mmCIF file of all heavy atoms in Angstrom:
data_model
loop_
_atom_site.group_PDB
_atom_site.id
_atom_site.type_symbol
_atom_site.label_atom_id
_atom_site.label_comp_id
_atom_site.label_asym_id
_atom_site.label_seq_id
_atom_site.Cartn_x
_atom_site.Cartn_y
_atom_site.Cartn_z
ATOM 1 N N GLY A 1 0.803 -1.214 0.000
ATOM 2 C CA GLY A 1 0.000 0.000 0.000
ATOM 3 C C GLY A 1 0.834 1.262 0.000
ATOM 4 O O GLY A 1 0.281 2.365 0.088
ATOM 5 N N GLN A 2 2.163 1.115 -0.108
ATOM 6 C CA GLN A 2 3.043 2.284 -0.141
ATOM 7 C C GLN A 2 3.544 2.580 -1.547
ATOM 8 O O GLN A 2 4.098 3.663 -1.796
ATOM 9 C CB GLN A 2 4.226 2.071 0.803
ATOM 10 C CG GLN A 2 3.802 1.880 2.250
ATOM 11 C CD GLN A 2 4.935 2.171 3.208
ATOM 12 O OE1 GLN A 2 5.518 3.246 3.187
ATOM 13 N NE2 GLN A 2 5.251 1.212 4.054
ATOM 14 N N ASN A 3 3.358 1.643 -2.441
ATOM 15 C CA ASN A 3 3.750 1.851 -3.831
ATOM 16 C C ASN A 3 2.718 1.136 -4.704
ATOM 17 O O ASN A 3 2.739 -0.090 -4.826
ATOM 18 C CB ASN A 3 5.153 1.299 -4.088
ATOM 19 C CG ASN A 3 5.648 1.594 -5.498
ATOM 20 O OD1 ASN A 3 5.048 2.379 -6.232
ATOM 21 N ND2 ASN A 3 6.747 0.972 -5.879
ATOM 22 N N PHE A 4 1.811 1.909 -5.267
ATOM 23 C CA PHE A 4 0.736 1.311 -6.070
ATOM 24 C C PHE A 4 0.338 2.267 -7.187
ATOM 25 O O PHE A 4 0.631 3.466 -7.141
ATOM 26 C CB PHE A 4 -0.479 0.977 -5.195
ATOM 27 C CG PHE A 4 -1.083 2.152 -4.479
ATOM 28 C CD1 PHE A 4 -2.101 2.898 -5.056
ATOM 29 C CD2 PHE A 4 -0.631 2.513 -3.219
ATOM 30 C CE1 PHE A 4 -2.658 3.989 -4.401
ATOM 31 C CE2 PHE A 4 -1.175 3.608 -2.544
ATOM 32 C CZ PHE A 4 -2.190 4.347 -3.136
ATOM 33 N N ALA A 5 -0.333 1.726 -8.201
ATOM 34 C CA ALA A 5 -0.797 2.537 -9.325
ATOM 35 C C ALA A 5 -2.204 2.112 -9.709
ATOM 36 O O ALA A 5 -2.498 0.910 -9.797
ATOM 37 C CB ALA A 5 0.140 2.373 -10.520
ATOM 38 N N PHE A 6 -3.061 3.108 -9.928
ATOM 39 C CA PHE A 6 -4.400 2.825 -10.437
ATOM 40 C C PHE A 6 -4.380 3.070 -11.936
ATOM 41 O O PHE A 6 -4.072 4.167 -12.400
ATOM 42 C CB PHE A 6 -5.437 3.713 -9.765
ATOM 43 C CG PHE A 6 -6.823 3.531 -10.340
ATOM 44 C CD1 PHE A 6 -7.478 2.314 -10.228
ATOM 45 C CD2 PHE A 6 -7.454 4.571 -11.004
ATOM 46 C CE1 PHE A 6 -8.747 2.125 -10.773
ATOM 47 C CE2 PHE A 6 -8.718 4.396 -11.545
ATOM 48 C CZ PHE A 6 -9.364 3.175 -11.432
ATOM 49 N N ASN A 7 -4.718 2.041 -12.715
ATOM 50 C CA ASN A 7 -4.593 2.093 -14.173
ATOM 51 C C ASN A 7 -5.919 2.275 -14.899
ATOM 52 O O ASN A 7 -5.952 2.266 -16.131
ATOM 53 C CB ASN A 7 -3.930 0.800 -14.671
ATOM 54 C CG ASN A 7 -2.539 0.627 -14.106
ATOM 55 O OD1 ASN A 7 -1.580 1.198 -14.613
ATOM 56 N ND2 ASN A 7 -2.408 -0.157 -13.031
ATOM 57 N N GLY A 8 -7.001 2.434 -14.161
ATOM 58 C CA GLY A 8 -8.295 2.625 -14.804
ATOM 59 C C GLY A 8 -8.721 1.386 -15.569
ATOM 60 O O GLY A 8 -8.482 0.249 -15.146
ATOM 61 N N TYR A 9 -9.339 1.612 -16.729
ATOM 62 C CA TYR A 9 -9.801 0.509 -17.570
ATOM 63 C C TYR A 9 -8.663 0.017 -18.464
ATOM 64 O O TYR A 9 -7.917 0.825 -19.032
ATOM 65 C CB TYR A 9 -10.969 0.956 -18.456
ATOM 66 C CG TYR A 9 -12.230 1.251 -17.693
ATOM 67 C CD1 TYR A 9 -12.498 2.531 -17.220
ATOM 68 C CD2 TYR A 9 -13.167 0.243 -17.443
ATOM 69 C CE1 TYR A 9 -13.665 2.808 -16.521
ATOM 70 C CE2 TYR A 9 -14.337 0.512 -16.745
ATOM 71 C CZ TYR A 9 -14.571 1.798 -16.284
ATOM 72 O OH TYR A 9 -15.718 2.069 -15.578
ATOM 73 N N LEU A 10 -8.547 -1.292 -18.608
ATOM 74 C CA LEU A 10 -7.577 -1.858 -19.535
ATOM 75 C C LEU A 10 -8.159 -1.838 -20.945
ATOM 76 O O LEU A 10 -9.370 -1.715 -21.128
ATOM 77 C CB LEU A 10 -7.238 -3.293 -19.120
ATOM 78 C CG LEU A 10 -6.622 -3.478 -17.727
ATOM 79 C CD1 LEU A 10 -6.102 -4.901 -17.572
ATOM 80 C CD2 LEU A 10 -5.534 -2.470 -17.443
ATOM 81 N N PRO A 11 -7.302 -1.962 -21.977
ATOM 82 C CA PRO A 11 -7.819 -1.952 -23.352
ATOM 83 C C PRO A 11 -8.865 -3.047 -23.580
ATOM 84 O O PRO A 11 -8.790 -4.128 -23.002
ATOM 85 C CB PRO A 11 -6.564 -2.209 -24.192
ATOM 86 C CG PRO A 11 -5.434 -1.729 -23.338
ATOM 87 C CD PRO A 11 -5.838 -2.047 -21.931
ATOM 88 N N VAL A 12 -9.821 -2.756 -24.436
ATOM 89 C CA VAL A 12 -10.891 -3.721 -24.731
ATOM 90 C C VAL A 12 -10.405 -4.798 -25.706
ATOM 91 O O VAL A 12 -10.740 -5.974 -25.554
ATOM 92 C CB VAL A 12 -12.124 -2.992 -25.315
ATOM 93 C CG1 VAL A 12 -13.190 -4.008 -25.749
ATOM 94 C CG2 VAL A 12 -12.705 -2.019 -24.287
ATOM 95 N N LYS A 13 -9.596 -4.401 -26.696
ATOM 96 C CA LYS A 13 -9.120 -5.357 -27.684
ATOM 97 C C LYS A 13 -8.200 -6.378 -27.023
ATOM 98 O O LYS A 13 -7.323 -6.023 -26.240
ATOM 99 C CB LYS A 13 -8.397 -4.632 -28.815
ATOM 100 C CG LYS A 13 -9.320 -3.755 -29.645
ATOM 101 C CD LYS A 13 -8.590 -3.112 -30.813
ATOM 102 C CE LYS A 13 -9.532 -2.275 -31.651
ATOM 103 N NZ LYS A 13 -8.830 -1.614 -32.783
ATOM 104 N N LYS A 14 -8.413 -7.643 -27.362
ATOM 105 C CA LYS A 14 -7.755 -8.741 -26.672
ATOM 106 C C LYS A 14 -6.233 -8.658 -26.711
ATOM 107 O O LYS A 14 -5.562 -8.841 -25.689
ATOM 108 C CB LYS A 14 -8.222 -10.076 -27.262
ATOM 109 C CG LYS A 14 -7.902 -11.284 -26.386
ATOM 110 C CD LYS A 14 -8.574 -12.528 -26.914
ATOM 111 C CE LYS A 14 -8.353 -13.710 -25.984
ATOM 112 N NZ LYS A 14 -8.982 -13.510 -24.658
ATOM 113 N N GLN A 15 -5.650 -8.372 -27.877
ATOM 114 C CA GLN A 15 -4.197 -8.319 -27.991
ATOM 115 C C GLN A 15 -3.615 -7.159 -27.192
ATOM 116 O O GLN A 15 -2.610 -7.308 -26.491
ATOM 117 C CB GLN A 15 -3.787 -8.196 -29.470
ATOM 118 C CG GLN A 15 -2.278 -8.195 -29.700
ATOM 119 C CD GLN A 15 -1.597 -9.446 -29.168
ATOM 120 O OE1 GLN A 15 -2.128 -10.550 -29.253
ATOM 121 N NE2 GLN A 15 -0.406 -9.284 -28.591
ATOM 122 N N GLU A 16 -4.277 -6.010 -27.273
ATOM 123 C CA GLU A 16 -3.816 -4.844 -26.526
ATOM 124 C C GLU A 16 -3.935 -5.081 -25.023
ATOM 125 O O GLU A 16 -3.073 -4.666 -24.243
ATOM 126 C CB GLU A 16 -4.608 -3.609 -26.940
ATOM 127 C CG GLU A 16 -4.353 -3.163 -28.376
ATOM 128 C CD GLU A 16 -5.196 -1.971 -28.764
ATOM 129 O OE1 GLU A 16 -5.901 -1.413 -27.891
ATOM 130 O OE2 GLU A 16 -5.161 -1.581 -29.949
ATOM 131 N N ARG A 17 -5.009 -5.746 -24.632
ATOM 132 C CA ARG A 17 -5.198 -6.044 -23.209
ATOM 133 C C ARG A 17 -4.121 -7.009 -22.714
ATOM 134 O O ARG A 17 -3.575 -6.832 -21.618
ATOM 135 C CB ARG A 17 -6.580 -6.635 -22.970
ATOM 136 C CG ARG A 17 -6.797 -7.113 -21.535
ATOM 137 C CD ARG A 17 -8.193 -7.658 -21.339
ATOM 138 N NE ARG A 17 -9.149 -6.575 -21.281
ATOM 139 C CZ ARG A 17 -10.450 -6.744 -21.032
ATOM 140 N NH1 ARG A 17 -10.927 -7.947 -20.830
ATOM 141 N NH2 ARG A 17 -11.255 -5.715 -20.974
ATOM 142 N N ALA A 18 -3.804 -8.015 -23.523
ATOM 143 C CA ALA A 18 -2.768 -8.981 -23.152
ATOM 144 C C ALA A 18 -1.422 -8.279 -22.961
ATOM 145 O O ALA A 18 -0.695 -8.546 -21.996
ATOM 146 C CB ALA A 18 -2.656 -10.065 -24.222
ATOM 147 N N GLU A 19 -1.087 -7.370 -23.863
ATOM 148 C CA GLU A 19 0.166 -6.636 -23.760
ATOM 149 C C GLU A 19 0.187 -5.756 -22.510
ATOM 150 O O GLU A 19 1.218 -5.638 -21.835
ATOM 151 C CB GLU A 19 0.373 -5.785 -25.014
ATOM 152 C CG GLU A 19 0.624 -6.620 -26.268
ATOM 153 C CD GLU A 19 0.670 -5.778 -27.533
ATOM 154 O OE1 GLU A 19 0.485 -4.542 -27.418
ATOM 155 O OE2 GLU A 19 0.880 -6.343 -28.621
ATOM 156 N N LYS A 20 -0.962 -5.147 -22.197
ATOM 157 C CA LYS A 20 -1.043 -4.299 -21.009
ATOM 158 C C LYS A 20 -0.881 -5.126 -19.732
ATOM 159 O O LYS A 20 -0.167 -4.716 -18.805
ATOM 160 C CB LYS A 20 -2.388 -3.571 -20.985
ATOM 161 C CG LYS A 20 -2.532 -2.569 -19.840
ATOM 162 C CD LYS A 20 -1.607 -1.383 -20.006
ATOM 163 C CE LYS A 20 -1.885 -0.316 -18.966
ATOM 164 N NZ LYS A 20 -1.026 0.881 -19.122
ATOM 165 N N LEU A 21 -1.519 -6.278 -19.669
ATOM 166 C CA LEU A 21 -1.397 -7.144 -18.494
ATOM 167 C C LEU A 21 0.047 -7.610 -18.305
ATOM 168 O O LEU A 21 0.558 -7.650 -17.175
ATOM 169 C CB LEU A 21 -2.329 -8.344 -18.617
ATOM 170 C CG LEU A 21 -3.814 -8.083 -18.322
ATOM 171 C CD1 LEU A 21 -4.658 -9.277 -18.736
ATOM 172 C CD2 LEU A 21 -4.013 -7.775 -16.833
ATOM 173 N N LYS A 22 0.721 -7.962 -19.402
ATOM 174 C CA LYS A 22 2.122 -8.378 -19.307
ATOM 175 C C LYS A 22 2.983 -7.227 -18.800
ATOM 176 O O LYS A 22 3.892 -7.425 -17.981
ATOM 177 C CB LYS A 22 2.619 -8.844 -20.678
ATOM 178 C CG LYS A 22 2.013 -10.162 -21.151
ATOM 179 C CD LYS A 22 2.461 -10.502 -22.559
ATOM 180 C CE LYS A 22 1.787 -11.763 -23.066
ATOM 181 N NZ LYS A 22 2.150 -12.061 -24.469
ATOM 182 N N TYR A 23 2.687 -6.019 -19.274
ATOM 183 C CA TYR A 23 3.437 -4.836 -18.820
ATOM 184 C C TYR A 23 3.219 -4.591 -17.332
ATOM 185 O O TYR A 23 4.181 -4.324 -16.592
ATOM 186 C CB TYR A 23 3.006 -3.615 -19.625
ATOM 187 C CG TYR A 23 3.515 -2.321 -19.039
ATOM 188 C CD1 TYR A 23 4.826 -1.900 -19.246
ATOM 189 C CD2 TYR A 23 2.677 -1.514 -18.261
ATOM 190 C CE1 TYR A 23 5.303 -0.722 -18.693
ATOM 191 C CE2 TYR A 23 3.143 -0.335 -17.692
ATOM 192 C CZ TYR A 23 4.450 0.067 -17.920
ATOM 193 O OH TYR A 23 4.910 1.228 -17.361
ATOM 194 N N LEU A 24 1.957 -4.678 -16.876
ATOM 195 C CA LEU A 24 1.656 -4.428 -15.464
ATOM 196 C C LEU A 24 2.307 -5.475 -14.561
ATOM 197 O O LEU A 24 2.785 -5.149 -13.471
ATOM 198 C CB LEU A 24 0.142 -4.410 -15.248
ATOM 199 C CG LEU A 24 -0.623 -3.265 -15.921
ATOM 200 C CD1 LEU A 24 -2.117 -3.389 -15.635
ATOM 201 C CD2 LEU A 24 -0.095 -1.904 -15.467
ATOM 202 N N GLU A 25 2.344 -6.712 -15.022
ATOM 203 C CA GLU A 25 2.985 -7.761 -14.228
ATOM 204 C C GLU A 25 4.486 -7.510 -14.132
ATOM 205 O O GLU A 25 5.090 -7.696 -13.065
ATOM 206 C CB GLU A 25 2.702 -9.130 -14.837
ATOM 207 C CG GLU A 25 3.149 -10.282 -13.944
ATOM 208 C CD GLU A 25 2.765 -11.635 -14.515
ATOM 209 O OE1 GLU A 25 2.820 -11.782 -15.757
ATOM 210 O OE2 GLU A 25 2.423 -12.534 -13.740
ATOM 211 N N LYS A 26 5.114 -7.072 -15.232
ATOM 212 C CA LYS A 26 6.544 -6.744 -15.201
ATOM 213 C C LYS A 26 6.799 -5.566 -14.265
ATOM 214 O O LYS A 26 7.787 -5.536 -13.527
ATOM 215 C CB LYS A 26 7.037 -6.415 -16.617
ATOM 216 C CG LYS A 26 7.151 -7.622 -17.534
ATOM 217 C CD LYS A 26 7.640 -7.210 -18.914
ATOM 218 C CE LYS A 26 7.742 -8.418 -19.842
ATOM 219 N NZ LYS A 26 8.170 -8.023 -21.215
ATOM 220 N N LYS A 27 5.907 -4.592 -14.297
ATOM 221 C CA LYS A 27 6.029 -3.423 -13.421
ATOM 222 C C LYS A 27 5.932 -3.839 -11.958
ATOM 223 O O LYS A 27 6.685 -3.361 -11.103
ATOM 224 C CB LYS A 27 4.915 -2.425 -13.757
ATOM 225 C CG LYS A 27 5.001 -1.097 -13.028
ATOM 226 C CD LYS A 27 6.099 -0.231 -13.570
ATOM 227 C CE LYS A 27 6.057 1.149 -12.937
ATOM 228 N NZ LYS A 27 7.241 1.967 -13.309
ATOM 229 N N LEU A 28 4.998 -4.741 -11.677
ATOM 230 C CA LEU A 28 4.838 -5.272 -10.319
ATOM 231 C C LEU A 28 6.131 -5.937 -9.844
ATOM 232 O O LEU A 28 6.614 -5.681 -8.738
ATOM 233 C CB LEU A 28 3.680 -6.279 -10.304
ATOM 234 C CG LEU A 28 3.669 -7.326 -9.183
ATOM 235 C CD1 LEU A 28 3.482 -6.659 -7.837
ATOM 236 C CD2 LEU A 28 2.585 -8.359 -9.444
ATOM 237 N N LEU A 29 6.710 -6.783 -10.673
ATOM 238 C CA LEU A 29 7.900 -7.533 -10.287
ATOM 239 C C LEU A 29 9.131 -6.642 -10.174
ATOM 240 O O LEU A 29 9.958 -6.813 -9.276
ATOM 241 C CB LEU A 29 8.148 -8.650 -11.298
ATOM 242 C CG LEU A 29 7.065 -9.737 -11.373
ATOM 243 C CD1 LEU A 29 7.343 -10.690 -12.514
ATOM 244 C CD2 LEU A 29 6.972 -10.484 -10.052
ATOM 245 N N ALA A 30 9.243 -5.654 -11.075
ATOM 246 C CA ALA A 30 10.430 -4.803 -11.092
ATOM 247 C C ALA A 30 10.434 -3.775 -9.962
ATOM 248 O O ALA A 30 11.462 -3.517 -9.335
ATOM 249 C CB ALA A 30 10.540 -4.096 -12.440
ATOM 250 N N ASP A 31 9.265 -3.200 -9.684
ATOM 251 C CA ASP A 31 9.190 -2.078 -8.736
ATOM 252 C C ASP A 31 8.430 -2.414 -7.454
ATOM 253 O O ASP A 31 8.263 -1.543 -6.602
ATOM 254 C CB ASP A 31 8.511 -0.879 -9.399
ATOM 255 C CG ASP A 31 9.278 -0.361 -10.600
ATOM 256 O OD1 ASP A 31 10.499 -0.609 -10.662
ATOM 257 O OD2 ASP A 31 8.661 0.279 -11.472
ATOM 258 N N LYS A 32 7.967 -3.675 -7.327
ATOM 259 C CA LYS A 32 7.146 -4.062 -6.172
ATOM 260 C C LYS A 32 5.921 -3.149 -6.045
ATOM 261 O O LYS A 32 5.483 -2.809 -4.943
ATOM 262 C CB LYS A 32 7.956 -4.014 -4.868
ATOM 263 C CG LYS A 32 9.283 -4.741 -4.926
ATOM 264 C CD LYS A 32 9.114 -6.214 -5.269
ATOM 265 C CE LYS A 32 10.464 -6.939 -5.282
ATOM 266 N NZ LYS A 32 10.355 -8.348 -5.715
ATOM 267 N N GLN A 33 5.379 -2.760 -7.182
ATOM 268 C CA GLN A 33 4.276 -1.805 -7.219
ATOM 269 C C GLN A 33 2.951 -2.519 -7.485
ATOM 270 O O GLN A 33 2.772 -3.160 -8.513
ATOM 271 C CB GLN A 33 4.514 -0.753 -8.317
ATOM 272 C CG GLN A 33 3.461 0.346 -8.364
ATOM 273 C CD GLN A 33 3.724 1.324 -9.485
ATOM 274 O OE1 GLN A 33 3.587 0.981 -10.660
ATOM 275 N NE2 GLN A 33 4.111 2.548 -9.141
ATOM 276 N N THR A 34 2.032 -2.417 -6.542
ATOM 277 C CA THR A 34 0.703 -3.008 -6.711
ATOM 278 C C THR A 34 -0.008 -2.348 -7.889
ATOM 279 O O THR A 34 -0.001 -1.126 -8.019
ATOM 280 C CB THR A 34 -0.135 -2.806 -5.434
ATOM 281 O OG1 THR A 34 0.543 -3.404 -4.327
ATOM 282 C CG2 THR A 34 -1.517 -3.428 -5.591
ATOM 283 N N GLN A 35 -0.610 -3.151 -8.743
ATOM 284 C CA GLN A 35 -1.308 -2.644 -9.926
ATOM 285 C C GLN A 35 -2.810 -2.846 -9.758
ATOM 286 O O GLN A 35 -3.277 -3.964 -9.520
ATOM 287 C CB GLN A 35 -0.807 -3.350 -11.186
ATOM 288 C CG GLN A 35 0.692 -3.213 -11.425
ATOM 289 C CD GLN A 35 1.120 -1.760 -11.638
ATOM 290 O OE1 GLN A 35 0.401 -0.978 -12.275
ATOM 291 N NE2 GLN A 35 2.290 -1.407 -11.117
ATOM 292 N N ILE A 36 -3.560 -1.758 -9.888
ATOM 293 C CA ILE A 36 -5.011 -1.772 -9.677
ATOM 294 C C ILE A 36 -5.698 -1.386 -10.978
ATOM 295 O O ILE A 36 -5.278 -0.445 -11.660
ATOM 296 C CB ILE A 36 -5.404 -0.770 -8.569
ATOM 297 C CG1 ILE A 36 -4.540 -0.983 -7.322
ATOM 298 C CG2 ILE A 36 -6.886 -0.885 -8.234
ATOM 299 C CD1 ILE A 36 -4.703 0.108 -6.277
ATOM 300 N N PHE A 37 -6.773 -2.086 -11.325
ATOM 301 C CA PHE A 37 -7.523 -1.744 -12.533
ATOM 302 C C PHE A 37 -8.975 -2.189 -12.391
ATOM 303 O O PHE A 37 -9.328 -2.937 -11.470
ATOM 304 C CB PHE A 37 -6.880 -2.341 -13.792
ATOM 305 C CG PHE A 37 -6.391 -3.758 -13.650
ATOM 306 C CD1 PHE A 37 -7.197 -4.823 -13.994
ATOM 307 C CD2 PHE A 37 -5.116 -4.022 -13.170
ATOM 308 C CE1 PHE A 37 -6.751 -6.133 -13.880
ATOM 309 C CE2 PHE A 37 -4.655 -5.328 -13.038
ATOM 310 C CZ PHE A 37 -5.476 -6.387 -13.399
ATOM 311 N N ILE A 38 -9.799 -1.706 -13.308
ATOM 312 C CA ILE A 38 -11.236 -1.987 -13.259
ATOM 313 C C ILE A 38 -11.731 -2.382 -14.651
ATOM 314 O O ILE A 38 -11.012 -2.261 -15.634
ATOM 315 C CB ILE A 38 -12.039 -0.766 -12.750
ATOM 316 C CG1 ILE A 38 -11.730 0.473 -13.609
ATOM 317 C CG2 ILE A 38 -11.749 -0.499 -11.285
ATOM 318 C CD1 ILE A 38 -12.528 1.707 -13.218
ATOM 319 N N GLU A 39 -12.975 -2.830 -14.684
ATOM 320 C CA GLU A 39 -13.612 -3.200 -15.946
ATOM 321 C C GLU A 39 -15.101 -2.936 -15.841
ATOM 322 O O GLU A 39 -15.665 -2.891 -14.733
ATOM 323 C CB GLU A 39 -13.339 -4.679 -16.266
ATOM 324 C CG GLU A 39 -13.928 -5.178 -17.576
ATOM 325 C CD GLU A 39 -13.543 -4.342 -18.774
ATOM 326 O OE1 GLU A 39 -14.137 -3.255 -18.946
ATOM 327 O OE2 GLU A 39 -12.673 -4.763 -19.561
ATOM 328 N N THR A 40 -15.745 -2.724 -16.975
ATOM 329 C CA THR A 40 -17.202 -2.633 -17.009
ATOM 330 C C THR A 40 -17.762 -3.949 -16.482
ATOM 331 O O THR A 40 -17.325 -5.021 -16.926
ATOM 332 C CB THR A 40 -17.683 -2.392 -18.448
ATOM 333 O OG1 THR A 40 -17.068 -1.189 -18.943
ATOM 334 C CG2 THR A 40 -19.190 -2.273 -18.501
ATOM 335 N N PRO A 41 -18.705 -3.903 -15.529
ATOM 336 C CA PRO A 41 -19.158 -5.140 -14.864
ATOM 337 C C PRO A 41 -19.501 -6.300 -15.784
ATOM 338 O O PRO A 41 -19.157 -7.444 -15.478
ATOM 339 C CB PRO A 41 -20.372 -4.661 -14.064
ATOM 340 C CG PRO A 41 -20.025 -3.258 -13.706
ATOM 341 C CD PRO A 41 -19.320 -2.704 -14.917
ATOM 342 N N TYR A 42 -20.131 -6.043 -16.922
ATOM 343 C CA TYR A 42 -20.532 -7.176 -17.778
ATOM 344 C C TYR A 42 -19.350 -7.827 -18.498
ATOM 345 O O TYR A 42 -19.489 -8.905 -19.089
ATOM 346 C CB TYR A 42 -21.614 -6.755 -18.783
ATOM 347 C CG TYR A 42 -21.150 -5.844 -19.898
ATOM 348 C CD1 TYR A 42 -20.611 -6.369 -21.072
ATOM 349 C CD2 TYR A 42 -21.275 -4.466 -19.801
ATOM 350 C CE1 TYR A 42 -20.201 -5.548 -22.104
ATOM 351 C CE2 TYR A 42 -20.873 -3.629 -20.825
ATOM 352 C CZ TYR A 42 -20.333 -4.171 -21.973
ATOM 353 O OH TYR A 42 -19.928 -3.346 -22.990
#
């Protein structure tokens, strides 16, 4: 809770979303930074 980022909505397109998730996971591992995001409920 001392190093985190809110990323809002992830891309809707599947390939772009996959790339974003891979980036966020790398960011988490490199900087120990919690990654937060949301999606439209449906």
